[in-house]
Amino acid sequence: MPGRFWEKEIDTLKPKDLQKLQFRRLQKTLKQAARSPFYSQLFRKHRLPPEKIKSLTDLKNLPFTTKQDLRDQFPYGFLAVPREKIVRLHSSSGTTGRATAIFHTQKDLDGWANLVARCMFMAGVRKEDVFQNMSGYGLFTGGLGFQYGAERLGALTIPSGSGNSKRQIHLMQDFSTTVVHVIPSYALHLWKVFEEMGLDPKKDTKLRMMLIGAEPHSEATRQRLEEMYGVEAFNSYGLSEMNGPGVAFECPEKNGMHFWEDDFLVEVIDPKTGKAVPDGEEGELVYTTLNREAMPLIRYRSKDLATVYPEPCPCGRTHRRMSRIKGRSDDMFILKGVNIFPLQIDTTLMNIPEVGTNYLIVLERENFEDRMIVRVEVRPEFFKGDLFQLEKLRRQITEALRSEILVTPKVELVEPDSLPRSEGKAVRVMDKREM
Ligand code: AMP
Ligand code: ZN
């Protein structure tokens, strides 16, 4: 089949040659990283200058880099180029504590666009396609990341951004959109809007493909979306620290997502011990950038849990594959594409004096829409108060949470001691979305 690969040579590089390329790029990356305040100090502390790292095994003598390091070094401690050379800032979609800043040079952005184009081409997007990107454009990487990738591929792009469902549908119809990039929970919701408008996406649009990612979802969700929309849906994975989209993506075999190992060195570790786990076993994904200038990251712990499949893929690509994300080694959860840590909710609630000691976060999927319910115990003296006061408190809590996590939860005030308590660690989050 002609034209199956975006860059045939790279896509199908023999594992041995891929390793050689990785090592060459790793050395360059380490030298580049040494220009940043953080890594220059780290190399000195561990007496491991880049020249001394002669194999991928040597690399493991360097400690992991963590999100906390990124926060501690905010904003410029990881920067490895002069400020004039950086042209863009992105950050994680969460709002926990201090933001993390990821910088790119123009060369970094070009490399990233090429990776996203490679992903899209692999799934089967071509320049004749009309591509509508329903991701938020802004600091979140799904907007601009896919935008430049799709332009690089040569498709007509519609940067529709997130939300505004009716307009999304009108755009799809007016310009005969064939491919969309969308967060799965939003795609489920959008289907309801089609229904409300008396439309059937299968008959009333030209959609043929859906690229879904940014949040955990099951095979069942994918199949449901494929049926609802009459499309093929492909899983797209990335994280802002590794650019964003373009880290791993499904090929037409849909048997896992190929990492782009010419750009990322992937390790899988046991999150408790930090030791490597064998291929085929679940662990936490750890990444080293291999082609980044502004902000190389070495052995970055993603907290994402998955399994790596080393077996060759029938599609002919030699880059290894990963399973769906099975969970996180921290307690972060993702709602409507936004990263949320229970600690944020805890802090917000506990700062409100009327709030009692216990609360429960319930994540539900109703009518294909994800929502968060926060059940909050109220202190006895306030609970006895009049209904008007209670409603006022409920609104105040809702607003405080909304401004902290950027998602509006449904807040329910409950009687003191009415929520279940566990013997050991409190179970604060009940995720009922995939049940
Ligand atoms: P951000 O850096 O804000 O873009 O968030 C990145 C995180 O989103 C990742 O570390 C994953 O936990 C999650 N994520 C991204 N893509 C997927 C996907 N396809 N499936 C499951 N989780 C994903
Ligand atoms: Zn494949």
Side-chain angles (χ1 to χ4, degrees):
M1 214 202 313
R4 212 152 36 106
F5 302 103
W6 177 244
E7 293 159 295
K8 183 157 193 238
E9 229 171 273
I10 295 277
D11 284 42
T12 62
L13 209 55
K14 290 203 184 69
K16 247 197 174 150
D17 296 327
L18 190 52
Q19 269 179 17
K20 273 193 210 148
L21 175 66
Q22 283 190 319
F23 188 59
R24 268 205 321 274
R25 287 188 169 177
L26 175 65
Q27 287 192 311
K28 216 172 141 193
T29 296
L30 292 167
K31 284 196 188 116
Q32 181 65 13
R35 300 198 168 112
S36 71
F38 178 80
Y39 284 118
S40 71
Q41 210 186 9
L42 189 88
F43 294 154
R44 241 180 292 129
K45 188 169 153 206
H46 291 267
R47 296 178 200 288
L48 256 181
E51 319 71 84
K52 268 202 176 167
I53 298 174
K54 299 228 183 299
S55 68
L56 301 180
T57 324
D58 291 344
L59 183 73
K60 298 195 175 161
N61 294 320
L62 282 176
F64 298 113
T65 299
T66 64
K67 201 167 191 115
Q68 192 55 46
D69 293 325
L70 292 182
R71 289 201 188 109
D72 293 345
Q73 298 295 317
F74 182 86
Y76 297 119
F78 276 89
L79 198 60
V81 295
R83 289 268 289 277
E84 319 75 86
K85 276 202 83 178
I86 48 178
V87 298
R88 182 140 17 114
L89 160 72
H90 274 291
S91 97
S92 182
S93 55
T95 54
T96 25
R98 206 167 210 184
T100 52
I102 306 293
F103 298 103
H104 301 275
T105 64
Q106 187 56 52
K107 184 165 167 282
D108 292 336
L109 292 180
D110 289 344
W112 179 19
N114 187 61
L115 285 180
V116 176
R118 198 197 281 169
C119 290
M120 296 177 76
F121 195 89
M122 170 166 70
V125 186
R126 293 296 178 268
K127 61 182 169 51
E128 294 73 22
D129 277 301
V130 178
F131 172 71
Q132 188 165 328
N133 188 11
M134 304 188 196
S135 278
Y137 280 67
L139 290 170
F140 176 55
T141 56
L144 292 174
F146 267 95
Q147 180 65 31
Y148 285 101
E151 286 178 10
R152 174 66 58 91
L153 188 143
L156 167 60
T157 59
I158 306 180
S160 56
S162 60
N164 213 337
S165 304
K166 285 194 175 138
R167 193 184 62 176
Q168 298 280 9
I169 293 170
H170 288 310
L171 284 166
M172 276 184 210
Q173 293 192 304
D174 291 345
F175 300 100
S176 306
T177 301
T178 53
V179 182
V180 291
H181 170 236
V182 61
I183 292 176
S185 55
Y186 183 68
L188 290 168
H189 164 76
L190 189 69
W191 188 77
K192 276 192 310 181
V193 183
F194 268 101
E195 253 199 336
E196 278 161 29
M197 290 167 75
L199 296 170
D200 176 356
K202 280 194 248 185
K203 292 197 206 101
D204 302 313
T205 72
K206 293 276 189 295
L207 276 187
R208 66 178 193 90
M209 198 188 292
M210 199 173 251
L211 314 178
I212 49 175
E215 66 185 5
H217 58 280
S218 61
E219 185 58 38
T221 299
R222 182 232 299 273
Q223 280 170 11
R224 182 175 277 198
L225 286 172
E226 293 191 327
E227 275 161 32
M228 284 170 154
Y229 284 90
V231 295
E232 278 214 74
F234 293 87
N235 195 357
S236 158
Y237 165 84
L239 57 162
S240 48
E241 293 85 350
M242 295 294 123
N243 305 337
V247 177
F249 213 91
E250 278 180 330
C251 72
E253 303 289 332
K254 294 190 194 162
N255 54 1
M257 296 179 271
H258 287 280
F259 290 114
W260 296 125
E261 295 190 275
D262 56 322
D263 270 61
F264 303 101
L265 184 72
V266 183
E267 295 174 60
V268 190
I269 61 160
D270 176 331
K272 290 208 183 78
T273 62
K275 296 241 161 63
V277 304
D279 268 349
E281 269 178 40
E282 189 178 309
E284 179 181 334
L285 301 172
V286 172
Y287 298 99
T288 299
T289 62
L290 292 176
N291 208 8
R292 230 163 52 174
E293 212 174 38
M295 207 169 147
L297 290 178
I298 298 162
R299 307 196 79 207
Y300 180 73
R301 283 188 69 158
S302 69
K303 306 276 180 180
D304 285 329
L305 302 175
T307 306
V308 171
Y309 309 130
E311 303 82 23
C313 179
C315 80
R317 288 173 186 82
T318 47
H319 302 242
R320 289 178 304 165
R321 287 163 293 138
M322 67 181 263
S323 65
R324 280 178 191 284
I325 297 292
K326 309 242 176 85
R328 306 249 326 157
S329 63
D330 58 15
D331 52 2
M332 185 185 93
F333 61 88
I334 302 183
L335 186 83
K336 299 181 177 182
V338 178
N339 301 350
I340 299 169
F341 287 85
L343 192 64
Q344 291 176 276
I345 293 174
D346 192 272
T347 310
T348 309
L349 290 178
M350 293 303 137
N351 275 324
I352 300 175
E354 293 88 341
V355 167
T357 51
N358 204 3
Y359 63 89
L360 181 69
I361 304 160
V362 184
L363 306 173
E364 284 185 350
R365 179 162 295 158
E366 205 187 87
N367 284 332
F368 307 129
E369 195 165 6
D370 284 2
R371 61 174 191 168
M372 174 161 96
I373 301 162
V374 185
R375 299 209 170 103
V376 186
E377 285 185 8
V378 178
R379 301 241 306 260
E381 57 271 36
F382 294 105
F383 198 77
K384 290 201 195 92
D386 65 60
L387 283 179
F388 178 74
Q389 288 302 327
L390 274 180
E391 176 56 18
K392 211 171 125 195
L393 175 63
R394 200 188 63 77
R395 286 205 196 139
Q396 182 203 341
I397 296 174
T398 309
E399 178 48 31
L401 287 171
R402 193 203 58 79
S403 79
E404 170 64 26
I405 58 177
L406 306 184
V407 175
T408 309
K410 180 169 185 271
V411 173
E412 292 174 2
L413 302 184
V414 299
E415 252 181 282
D417 292 325
S418 62
L419 292 172
R421 278 177 202 275
S422 56
E423 293 285 303
K425 282 187 198 214
V427 182
R428 294 294 198 202
V429 185
M430 248 167 79
D431 195 340
K432 304 205 277 190
R433 289 177 294 182
E434 295 295 358
M435 281 152 90

